[in-house]
Amino acid sequence: ELFGPVAEDKGVELFFFREGDLPASVEEGRFRRAVAHIVDNAVKYTEGPGKITVECRRCGNDAVISVTDTGVGISEADVDRVFARFYRVEQSRSGGGNGLGLSLSRAIVRSFGGEISASSTLGVGSVFTIRMPIAQ
């Protein structure tokens, strides 16, 4: 809901899929903030016509949230560094931001026992994946 209007203005389709209830032991506001940083980046670096998919599914004992975009992508050299504080890849240096969003997302996710990772191809897009243990 928060990112739909901005994505639509850019000509980017935003999709959301959820596979049933996926309970995790998190503080909702903080966890929502972690996911919002990732979706915000996807919207920021995807031009129309483009597509962003947010998918929530169960994988074994984990809840997995993936954010997939058809944006500018991140080079292989940069993809492992995007979670470092104040790090900004070359394509993002002309835009706003201070390089803290993804490092904050990682800190929040880890504080709840989860992990976050990224994979990307320049000119094709990126996938950010959060894995959280499902609450028993």
Side-chain angles (χ1 to χ4, degrees):
E1 293 174 5
L2 179 63
F3 297 101
V6 176
E8 185 179 329
D9 288 348
K10 292 182 74 176
V12 175
E13 294 181 283
L14 185 57
F15 298 94
F16 178 78
F17 301 101
R18 186 181 75 189
E19 178 185 87
D21 289 331
L22 300 167
S25 295
V26 299
E27 191 277 303
E28 184 179 344
R30 287 181 59 219
F31 190 73
R32 191 179 295 258
R33 184 174 181 190
V35 175
H37 283 298
I38 296 166
V39 176
D40 181 55
N41 279 353
V43 172
K44 190 182 301 182
Y45 298 112
T46 302
E47 295 298 326
K51 179 179 174 182
I52 299 168
T53 303
V54 180
E55 183 178 3
C56 305
R57 65 189 185 287
R58 183 182 196 114
C59 185
N61 292 324
D62 291 334
V64 177
I65 299 170
S66 60
V67 178
T68 305
D69 67 56
T70 59
V72 297
I74 304 165
S75 74
E76 191 174 323
D78 287 323
V79 77
D80 290 331
R81 297 164 41 184
V82 296
F83 296 104
R85 281 186 290 167
F86 304 112
Y87 187 78
R88 296 180 65 208
V89 297
E90 195 60 41
Q91 303 97 292
S92 71
R93 292 181 194 267
S94 61
N98 54 22
L100 288 174
L102 291 175
S103 66
L104 180 59
S105 290
R106 176 173 266 180
I108 291 169
V109 167
R110 284 181 170 174
S111 76
F112 297 123
E115 193 52 65
I116 185 172
S117 61
S119 62
S120 189
T121 303
L122 272 175
V124 176
S126 303
V127 179
F128 284 79
T129 304
I130 297 172
R131 297 183 73 89
M132 297 293 300
I134 291 179
Q136 303 298 325

